Amino acid sequence: GDGPRDRRRRTRRAALGLAEVRLAAVQADLLRRLGPDAASRIELRAARAVVADGLEAGGRVLVRPRARNRVVDRSTAPPQPKPKSLASPDLVPDQRL
């Protein structure tokens, strides 16, 4: 059918498809910047089709860096290289992809 309900359903499905593509692009960009070892640290959440007023591109991807809570005995551990940061100069918050 081509009723209003069917149109809303198709629009929602298309929006979710675009969101999945956008999330995959952000994930690929993070992996490129941080290296393949970062794959286990990247957690993708399901895309949501929620109307968001005021967004020019029709949506956004939020990246929320989280601190890792682990205890390391620094008295016996060799110095570890500093992990690559998400705060690189070319990664701007709310960057449109």
Side-chain angles (χ1 to χ4, degrees):
D2 198 34
R5 190 171 179 187
D6 293 322
R7 286 193 297 268
R8 278 193 305 272
R9 197 174 293 150
R10 282 193 306 271
T11 300
R12 178 179 165 76
R13 207 171 21 237
L16 287 171
L18 289 172
E20 293 295 334
V21 169
R22 193 176 270 182
L23 287 171
V26 170
Q27 181 182 32
D29 191 47
L30 288 172
L31 288 172
R32 182 183 59 78
R33 293 168 192 258
L34 300 176
D37 294 340
S40 64
R41 298 182 354 227
I42 297 172
E43 179 183 335
L44 292 182
R45 300 285 176 98
R48 294 181 289 172
V50 178
V51 176
D53 294 328
L55 294 177
E56 295 173 18
R60 69 175 167 211
V61 173
L62 295 177
V63 176
R64 292 190 178 146
R66 305 244 185 220
R68 288 186 274 175
N69 295 327
R70 62 181 163 145
V71 178
V72 176
D73 181 3
R74 300 215 183 268
S75 64
T76 60
Q80 296 293 316
K82 219 173 175 187
K84 293 181 183 177
S85 172
L86 288 176
S88 67
D90 56 336
L91 184 62
V92 179
D94 282 339
Q95 177 178 350
R96 303 267 189 246
L97 295 177

